[in-house]
Amino acid sequence: MQELAEKIDQLKQEIEAIELKTADEIEHYRIRFLGSKGLVKQLMSEMKNVSSDLRKDFGARLNEFKQFAEAKYEDYKEQKSGSKKAEQPKADMSLPAYPSETGARHPIQQTMNKMIDIFAKIGFTVTEGPEIEDDWHNFTALNLPENHPARDMQDTFYISKNPDWLLRTHTSSVQVRVMKEGKLPIRQIFPGRVYRNETISARAHCFFHQIEGLYIDEKVSFADLKQTLYYFVKEMFGADVKVRFRPSYFPFTEPSAEMDVSCFICDSKGCNVCKHTGWVEILGCGMVHPNVLSNCGIDPEKYSGFAWGMGVERTTMMQYGIKDIRVLSENDLRFLKQFR
Ligand code: DAH
Protein backbone atom coordinates (compact mmCIF):
# COMPACT_ATOMS: atom_id res chain seq x y z
CA MET A 1 0.00 0.00 0.00
CA GLN A 2 2.79 2.35 0.93
CA GLU A 3 4.37 1.64 -2.39
CA LEU A 4 1.17 2.36 -4.30
CA ALA A 5 0.58 5.62 -2.43
CA GLU A 6 4.08 6.76 -3.33
CA LYS A 7 3.51 5.83 -6.94
CA ILE A 8 0.38 7.94 -7.04
CA ASP A 9 2.22 10.95 -5.57
CA GLN A 10 5.01 10.52 -8.04
CA LEU A 11 2.62 10.36 -11.00
CA LYS A 12 0.81 13.41 -9.72
CA GLN A 13 4.05 15.38 -9.70
CA GLU A 14 4.80 14.14 -13.15
CA ILE A 15 1.42 15.30 -14.44
CA GLU A 16 1.88 18.69 -12.81
CA ALA A 17 5.10 19.16 -14.71
CA ILE A 18 3.75 18.04 -18.08
CA GLU A 19 3.11 20.63 -20.73
CA LEU A 20 1.03 19.63 -23.70
CA LYS A 21 1.34 21.66 -26.89
CA THR A 22 0.09 19.77 -29.87
CA ALA A 23 -3.07 17.73 -30.43
CA ASP A 24 -0.81 14.67 -30.70
CA GLU A 25 0.68 15.31 -27.29
CA ILE A 26 -2.77 15.69 -25.75
CA GLU A 27 -3.88 12.42 -27.29
CA HIS A 28 -0.75 10.72 -26.15
CA TYR A 29 -1.38 11.95 -22.59
CA ARG A 30 -4.94 10.64 -22.72
CA ILE A 31 -3.81 7.18 -23.80
CA ARG A 32 -1.04 7.00 -21.25
CA PHE A 33 -3.05 8.07 -18.21
CA LEU A 34 -6.72 7.67 -19.02
CA GLY A 35 -6.87 5.07 -21.80
CA SER A 36 -8.33 1.60 -21.34
CA LYS A 37 -4.81 0.27 -20.64
CA GLY A 38 -3.61 3.51 -19.08
CA LEU A 39 -2.02 4.12 -15.67
CA VAL A 40 -5.26 5.01 -13.89
CA LYS A 41 -6.78 1.68 -14.98
CA GLN A 42 -3.60 -0.16 -13.94
CA LEU A 43 -3.69 1.37 -10.48
CA MET A 44 -7.33 0.45 -10.14
CA SER A 45 -6.55 -3.14 -10.89
CA GLU A 46 -4.15 -3.05 -7.91
CA MET A 47 -7.15 -2.48 -5.62
CA LYS A 48 -7.65 -6.20 -5.12
CA ASN A 49 -4.13 -6.53 -3.66
CA VAL A 50 -4.76 -3.89 -0.99
CA SER A 51 -5.78 -5.23 2.39
CA SER A 52 -9.41 -4.60 3.23
CA ASP A 53 -8.76 -2.15 6.12
CA LEU A 54 -6.72 0.13 3.84
CA ARG A 55 -8.82 -0.28 0.74
CA LYS A 56 -11.19 2.61 1.51
CA ASP A 57 -8.37 5.08 2.00
CA PHE A 58 -6.58 3.88 -1.11
CA GLY A 59 -9.81 4.07 -3.13
CA ALA A 60 -10.25 7.72 -2.12
CA ARG A 61 -6.66 8.64 -3.10
CA LEU A 62 -6.97 6.84 -6.37
CA ASN A 63 -10.23 8.57 -7.19
CA GLU A 64 -8.73 11.94 -6.45
CA PHE A 65 -5.80 11.11 -8.70
CA LYS A 66 -8.10 10.04 -11.50
CA GLN A 67 -10.02 13.32 -11.31
CA PHE A 68 -6.77 15.25 -11.27
CA ALA A 69 -5.53 13.48 -14.39
CA GLU A 70 -8.85 13.97 -16.16
CA ALA A 71 -9.06 17.67 -15.26
CA LYS A 72 -5.68 18.30 -16.84
CA TYR A 73 -6.78 16.55 -20.01
CA GLU A 74 -10.08 18.48 -20.21
CA ASP A 75 -8.26 21.78 -19.64
CA TYR A 76 -5.88 21.20 -22.50
CA LYS A 77 -8.61 19.96 -24.81
CA GLU A 78 -10.69 23.07 -24.19
CA GLN A 79 -7.72 25.37 -24.68
CA LYS A 80 -6.98 23.69 -27.95
CA SER A 81 -10.53 24.04 -29.38
CA GLY A 82 -10.72 27.59 -28.03
CA SER A 83 -7.54 28.49 -29.82
CA LYS A 84 -8.94 26.92 -32.98
CA LYS A 85 -11.88 29.29 -32.76
CA ALA A 86 -9.55 32.16 -32.19
CA GLU A 87 -7.61 31.21 -35.29
CA GLN A 88 -10.68 31.72 -37.47
CA PRO A 89 -10.66 34.94 -39.44
CA LYS A 90 -12.76 37.71 -38.00
CA ALA A 91 -15.85 38.81 -39.96
CA ASP A 92 -15.10 41.71 -42.26
CA MET A 93 -17.72 44.26 -41.27
CA SER A 94 -16.89 46.51 -44.20
CA LEU A 95 -18.20 44.00 -46.77
CA PRO A 96 -21.60 44.79 -48.29
CA ALA A 97 -24.43 42.58 -46.93
CA TYR A 98 -25.85 39.69 -48.93
CA PRO A 99 -28.92 40.86 -50.86
CA SER A 100 -32.08 39.67 -49.10
CA GLU A 101 -34.67 38.37 -51.53
CA THR A 102 -38.24 39.24 -50.63
CA GLY A 103 -40.97 36.92 -51.75
CA ALA A 104 -44.29 38.12 -53.11
CA ARG A 105 -47.83 36.93 -53.64
CA HIS A 106 -48.57 35.10 -56.86
CA PRO A 107 -50.30 37.41 -59.39
CA ILE A 108 -53.44 35.25 -59.17
CA GLN A 109 -53.51 35.72 -55.42
CA GLN A 110 -52.90 39.45 -55.81
CA THR A 111 -55.94 39.76 -58.08
CA MET A 112 -58.04 37.60 -55.76
CA ASN A 113 -57.05 39.69 -52.76
CA LYS A 114 -58.00 42.87 -54.57
CA MET A 115 -61.40 41.41 -55.46
CA ILE A 116 -61.94 40.18 -51.91
CA ASP A 117 -61.04 43.59 -50.45
CA ILE A 118 -63.55 45.32 -52.73
CA PHE A 119 -66.42 43.09 -51.60
CA ALA A 120 -65.29 43.19 -47.98
CA LYS A 121 -65.86 46.96 -48.02
CA ILE A 122 -69.57 46.39 -48.60
CA GLY A 123 -69.88 43.68 -45.99
CA PHE A 124 -69.19 40.42 -47.83
CA THR A 125 -67.30 37.83 -45.79
CA VAL A 126 -65.17 35.00 -47.18
CA THR A 127 -65.88 31.27 -46.91
CA GLU A 128 -63.93 28.45 -48.53
CA GLY A 129 -65.16 24.98 -49.44
CA PRO A 130 -63.59 21.64 -50.42
CA GLU A 131 -62.03 21.10 -53.86
CA ILE A 132 -63.16 17.48 -53.83
CA GLU A 133 -66.94 17.61 -53.93
CA ASP A 134 -69.79 15.18 -54.27
CA ASP A 135 -72.20 15.21 -57.17
CA TRP A 136 -75.02 16.66 -55.09
CA HIS A 137 -73.20 19.84 -54.02
CA ASN A 138 -71.61 20.45 -57.42
CA PHE A 139 -74.63 19.63 -59.61
CA THR A 140 -77.88 18.24 -58.26
CA ALA A 141 -78.54 20.85 -55.57
CA LEU A 142 -77.79 23.55 -58.14
CA ASN A 143 -80.71 22.41 -60.25
CA LEU A 144 -78.70 20.14 -62.52
CA PRO A 145 -80.28 16.73 -61.95
CA GLU A 146 -78.66 13.62 -63.40
CA ASN A 147 -78.72 13.51 -67.19
CA HIS A 148 -79.35 17.26 -67.34
CA PRO A 149 -77.78 18.45 -70.60
CA ALA A 150 -76.23 21.49 -68.88
CA ARG A 151 -73.83 19.13 -67.09
CA ASP A 152 -72.03 18.89 -70.41
CA MET A 153 -71.23 22.62 -70.19
CA GLN A 154 -68.52 21.65 -67.73
CA ASP A 155 -66.24 18.69 -68.44
CA THR A 156 -65.81 17.03 -65.10
CA PHE A 157 -62.92 15.12 -63.53
CA TYR A 158 -64.42 12.21 -61.60
CA ILE A 159 -62.53 10.42 -58.86
CA SER A 160 -62.20 6.75 -59.81
CA LYS A 161 -62.40 5.53 -56.20
CA ASN A 162 -65.99 6.69 -55.91
CA PRO A 163 -68.08 7.81 -58.92
CA ASP A 164 -70.00 10.18 -56.64
CA TRP A 165 -66.87 12.22 -56.00
CA LEU A 166 -65.42 14.79 -58.36
CA LEU A 167 -63.15 17.81 -58.50
CA ARG A 168 -65.48 20.78 -58.24
CA THR A 169 -66.09 22.38 -61.61
CA HIS A 170 -67.09 25.71 -60.08
CA THR A 171 -67.19 27.49 -56.73
CA SER A 172 -71.00 27.49 -56.88
CA SER A 173 -70.81 24.29 -54.80
CA VAL A 174 -69.80 26.42 -51.80
CA GLN A 175 -73.08 28.37 -52.16
CA VAL A 176 -74.90 25.15 -51.47
CA ARG A 177 -72.85 24.38 -48.37
CA VAL A 178 -73.42 27.85 -46.92
CA MET A 179 -77.16 27.88 -47.69
CA LYS A 180 -77.53 24.44 -46.10
CA GLU A 181 -76.16 25.84 -42.85
CA GLY A 182 -79.33 27.92 -42.79
CA LYS A 183 -78.00 31.13 -41.24
CA LEU A 184 -79.74 34.01 -42.96
CA PRO A 185 -79.22 36.59 -44.35
CA ILE A 186 -76.18 35.51 -46.38
CA ARG A 187 -73.69 38.01 -47.77
CA GLN A 188 -70.59 36.07 -48.69
CA ILE A 189 -67.96 35.39 -51.34
CA PHE A 190 -66.25 32.08 -52.05
CA PRO A 191 -62.82 32.22 -53.69
CA GLY A 192 -61.05 29.05 -54.77
CA ARG A 193 -59.63 26.71 -57.35
CA VAL A 194 -61.81 24.75 -59.76
CA TYR A 195 -61.08 21.97 -62.25
CA ARG A 196 -62.30 21.10 -65.73
CA ASN A 197 -61.22 18.37 -68.09
CA GLU A 198 -60.22 20.69 -70.89
CA THR A 199 -57.36 20.57 -73.34
CA ILE A 200 -54.65 22.88 -72.06
CA SER A 201 -53.87 25.76 -74.41
CA ALA A 202 -52.88 29.43 -74.26
CA ARG A 203 -56.51 30.28 -73.39
CA ALA A 204 -57.68 27.32 -71.29
CA HIS A 205 -56.32 25.25 -68.44
CA CYS A 206 -57.58 22.20 -66.56
CA PHE A 207 -57.60 24.18 -63.33
CA PHE A 208 -58.24 27.84 -62.64
CA HIS A 209 -59.69 30.14 -59.97
CA GLN A 210 -63.09 31.66 -59.42
CA ILE A 211 -64.75 33.96 -56.97
CA GLU A 212 -68.36 33.20 -56.32
CA GLY A 213 -70.71 35.62 -54.59
CA LEU A 214 -74.03 35.06 -52.85
CA TYR A 215 -76.52 37.46 -51.32
CA ILE A 216 -79.73 36.13 -49.79
CA ASP A 217 -82.27 38.02 -47.76
CA GLU A 218 -85.91 39.07 -47.88
CA LYS A 219 -86.85 41.25 -50.86
CA VAL A 220 -83.55 41.08 -52.75
CA SER A 221 -84.02 42.11 -56.37
CA PHE A 222 -82.19 42.18 -59.69
CA ALA A 223 -81.56 45.89 -59.06
CA ASP A 224 -79.47 44.94 -56.00
CA LEU A 225 -77.48 42.55 -58.13
CA LYS A 226 -76.75 45.23 -60.71
CA GLN A 227 -75.73 47.86 -58.19
CA THR A 228 -73.43 45.45 -56.35
CA LEU A 229 -71.67 44.45 -59.55
CA TYR A 230 -71.49 48.04 -60.86
CA TYR A 231 -69.78 49.01 -57.64
CA PHE A 232 -67.34 46.14 -58.03
CA VAL A 233 -66.43 46.99 -61.62
CA LYS A 234 -65.77 50.65 -60.85
CA GLU A 235 -63.52 49.74 -57.93
CA MET A 236 -61.72 47.02 -59.84
CA PHE A 237 -61.25 48.56 -63.28
CA GLY A 238 -61.75 52.29 -62.72
CA ALA A 239 -64.62 54.77 -62.90
CA ASP A 240 -64.55 55.10 -66.69
CA VAL A 241 -65.21 51.47 -67.47
CA LYS A 242 -68.55 50.78 -69.14
CA VAL A 243 -70.70 47.80 -68.24
CA ARG A 244 -73.34 45.82 -70.06
CA PHE A 245 -75.53 42.87 -69.11
CA ARG A 246 -76.49 40.20 -71.64
CA PRO A 247 -79.22 37.64 -71.01
CA SER A 248 -77.78 34.16 -70.55
CA TYR A 249 -78.61 30.74 -69.16
CA PHE A 250 -77.44 29.00 -66.01
CA PRO A 251 -79.53 26.24 -64.44
CA PHE A 252 -79.02 27.68 -60.93
CA THR A 253 -80.24 31.21 -61.67
CA GLU A 254 -83.40 32.65 -63.19
CA PRO A 255 -83.15 35.10 -64.82
CA SER A 256 -79.47 34.69 -65.70
CA ALA A 257 -77.06 37.16 -67.26
CA GLU A 258 -73.47 37.63 -68.24
CA MET A 259 -71.67 40.86 -67.58
CA ASP A 260 -69.20 42.48 -69.96
CA VAL A 261 -66.89 45.41 -69.32
CA SER A 262 -65.57 47.76 -71.99
CA CYS A 263 -62.12 46.58 -73.07
CA PHE A 264 -59.61 48.60 -71.10
CA ILE A 265 -56.69 47.16 -73.03
CA CYS A 266 -57.61 48.90 -76.30
CA ASP A 267 -60.08 51.43 -74.89
CA SER A 268 -62.80 49.58 -76.80
CA LYS A 269 -61.13 50.24 -80.14
CA GLY A 270 -60.80 46.53 -80.82
CA CYS A 271 -57.92 44.16 -79.98
CA ASN A 272 -57.18 40.45 -79.56
CA VAL A 273 -58.29 40.39 -75.93
CA CYS A 274 -61.79 41.63 -76.75
CA LYS A 275 -61.76 39.81 -80.09
CA HIS A 276 -62.37 43.18 -81.75
CA THR A 277 -65.77 43.64 -80.12
CA GLY A 278 -64.71 46.28 -77.59
CA TRP A 279 -66.24 44.17 -74.76
CA VAL A 280 -64.83 41.50 -72.43
CA GLU A 281 -67.01 39.06 -70.52
CA ILE A 282 -66.04 38.91 -66.86
CA LEU A 283 -68.79 37.05 -65.01
CA GLY A 284 -72.01 35.08 -64.99
CA CYS A 285 -74.79 35.98 -62.59
CA GLY A 286 -78.49 35.86 -61.85
CA MET A 287 -81.26 35.55 -59.30
CA VAL A 288 -80.89 32.29 -57.38
CA HIS A 289 -83.36 29.76 -58.80
CA PRO A 290 -86.22 28.90 -56.39
CA ASN A 291 -85.39 25.20 -56.84
CA VAL A 292 -81.87 25.84 -55.54
CA LEU A 293 -83.21 27.68 -52.50
CA SER A 294 -85.60 24.87 -51.62
CA ASN A 295 -82.97 22.18 -52.31
CA CYS A 296 -80.90 23.90 -49.64
CA GLY A 297 -83.74 24.29 -47.14
CA ILE A 298 -84.53 27.98 -47.72
CA ASP A 299 -88.13 29.08 -48.29
CA PRO A 300 -88.27 30.66 -51.80
CA GLU A 301 -91.57 32.35 -50.91
CA LYS A 302 -89.90 34.33 -48.17
CA TYR A 303 -86.33 34.75 -49.38
CA SER A 304 -84.71 35.71 -52.66
CA GLY A 305 -81.15 36.39 -53.65
CA PHE A 306 -78.56 36.81 -56.32
CA ALA A 307 -75.33 35.06 -57.14
CA TRP A 308 -72.43 35.50 -59.49
CA GLY A 309 -69.28 33.68 -60.46
CA MET A 310 -66.20 35.17 -62.03
CA GLY A 311 -62.87 33.87 -63.28
CA VAL A 312 -59.70 35.22 -61.73
CA GLU A 313 -57.22 34.18 -64.46
CA ARG A 314 -58.99 36.13 -67.19
CA THR A 315 -58.95 39.36 -65.18
CA THR A 316 -55.32 38.88 -64.13
CA MET A 317 -54.29 38.28 -67.74
CA MET A 318 -56.12 41.35 -68.93
CA GLN A 319 -54.68 43.57 -66.25
CA TYR A 320 -51.08 42.59 -66.87
CA GLY A 321 -51.31 41.89 -70.58
CA ILE A 322 -50.49 38.18 -70.12
CA LYS A 323 -51.16 36.30 -73.33
CA ASP A 324 -50.76 32.67 -72.22
CA ILE A 325 -52.66 31.25 -69.24
CA ARG A 326 -50.04 28.52 -68.78
CA VAL A 327 -47.38 30.89 -67.43
CA LEU A 328 -49.61 31.39 -64.39
CA SER A 329 -49.04 27.83 -63.19
CA GLU A 330 -45.48 27.13 -64.31
CA ASN A 331 -43.82 28.78 -61.30
CA ASP A 332 -41.05 30.22 -63.44
CA LEU A 333 -39.28 32.74 -61.22
CA ARG A 334 -38.35 34.93 -64.19
CA PHE A 335 -42.09 35.46 -64.67
CA LEU A 336 -43.10 35.65 -61.02
CA LYS A 337 -40.39 38.16 -60.09
CA GLN A 338 -42.14 40.76 -62.20
CA PHE A 339 -45.02 40.88 -59.70
CA ARG A 340 -43.13 41.98 -56.62
N1 DAH B 1 -70.79 28.56 -62.00
C1 DAH B 1 -70.71 29.29 -63.25
C2 DAH B 1 -69.52 28.80 -64.06
O1 DAH B 1 -68.62 28.28 -63.50
C3 DAH B 1 -70.56 30.76 -63.00
C4 DAH B 1 -71.80 31.34 -62.39
C5 DAH B 1 -72.80 31.85 -63.18
C6 DAH B 1 -71.94 31.37 -61.02
C7 DAH B 1 -73.94 32.37 -62.65
C8 DAH B 1 -73.11 31.92 -60.47
C9 DAH B 1 -74.09 32.42 -61.31
O2 DAH B 1 -73.30 31.99 -59.17
O3 DAH B 1 -75.21 32.96 -60.75
O4 DAH B 1 -69.50 28.99 -65.22
Side-chain angles (χ1 to χ4, degrees), residues 69-340:
E70 280 173 353
K72 175 120 183 171
Y73 171 67
E74 294 297 334
D75 269 4
Y76 271 102
K77 219 171 67 171
E78 226 163 75
Q79 263 180 36
K80 192 81 196 153
S81 61
S83 65
K84 239 189 214 149
K85 263 181 225 149
E87 278 163 25
Q88 279 172 8
K90 288 209 188 85
D92 180 353
M93 299 311 229
S94 68
L95 285 173
Y98 287 114
S100 66
E101 296 252 2
T102 11
R105 298 257 178 252
H106 191 280
I108 291 290
Q109 192 65 51
Q110 290 187 27
T111 307
M112 281 225 265
N113 287 352
K114 189 170 174 196
M115 292 172 166
I116 291 169
D117 286 348
I118 292 171
F119 285 109
K121 277 197 214 153
I122 52 168
F124 282 81
T125 56
V126 174
T127 297
E128 287 180 310
E131 291 181 13
I132 297 178
E133 261 302 0
D134 55 52
D135 183 278
W136 191 79
H137 287 90
N138 196 78
F139 290 128
T140 310
L142 289 163
N143 205 28
L144 282 114
E146 228 177 295
N147 302 323
H148 192 291
R151 287 196 179 201
D152 296 341
M153 283 163 71
Q154 302 177 355
D155 293 312
T156 310
F157 282 118
Y158 286 92
I159 290 178
S160 52
K161 214 170 162 164
N162 182 340
D164 192 40
W165 292 347
L166 46 88
L167 297 180
R168 66 179 178 195
T169 57
H170 52 185
T171 42
S172 305
S173 54
V174 193
Q175 276 190 33
V176 177
R177 291 185 173 270
V178 170
M179 282 192 269
K180 281 284 283 177
E181 277 177 17
K183 282 190 211 115
L184 293 162
I186 296 168
R187 198 195 287 156
Q188 294 194 22
I189 50 174
F190 318 117
R193 187 178 279 189
V194 301
Y195 300 83
R196 292 194 197 165
N197 192 357
E198 295 200 29
T199 311
I200 298 171
S201 71
R203 297 183 68 85
H205 212 295
C206 60
F207 64 80
F208 50 97
H209 298 78
Q210 290 188 329
I211 295 191
E212 185 87 9
L214 180 67
Y215 188 98
I216 303 214
D217 202 347
E218 291 178 37
K219 300 193 181 71
V220 177
S221 72
F222 202 90
D224 298 318
L225 178 159
K226 285 176 91 174
Q227 285 308 320
T228 305
L229 296 178
Y230 282 151
Y231 155 79
F232 166 73
V233 165
K234 305 272 169 209
E235 293 284 314
M236 187 76 198
F237 303 107
D240 299 334
V241 169
K242 291 187 203 63
V243 177
R244 75 175 185 190
F245 283 88
R246 278 180 292 105
S248 184
Y249 170 76
F250 298 102
F252 27 89
T253 41
E254 182 58 39
S256 303
E258 278 170 302
M259 194 172 102
D260 299 340
V261 293
S262 54
C263 185
F264 50 82
I265 300 290
C266 63
D267 216 3
S268 296
K269 291 190 181 72
C271 69
N272 283 342
V273 173
C274 63
K275 295 191 210 122
H276 300 278
T277 64
W279 296 97
V280 194
E281 182 217 314
I282 60 156
L283 57 86
C285 59
M287 300 305 290
V288 180
H289 197 292
N291 287 353
V292 174
L293 292 174
S294 40
N295 285 343
C296 299
I298 294 174
D299 180 1
E301 299 293 327
K302 189 167 175 209
Y303 290 98
S304 56
F306 62 84
W308 74 91
M310 55 196 182
V312 182
E313 270 75 357
R314 170 86 63 90
T315 310
T316 310
M317 289 168 74
M318 281 192 330
Q319 285 204 311
Y320 297 112
I322 299 167
K323 295 201 171 61
D324 190 327
I325 194 171
R326 289 170 291 198
V327 296
L328 290 168
S329 50
E330 279 167 354
N331 281 341
D332 185 331
L333 282 177
R334 290 169 303 176
F335 169 72
L336 294 175
K337 276 183 173 170
Q338 299 173 67
F339 298 91
R340 280 200 288 221

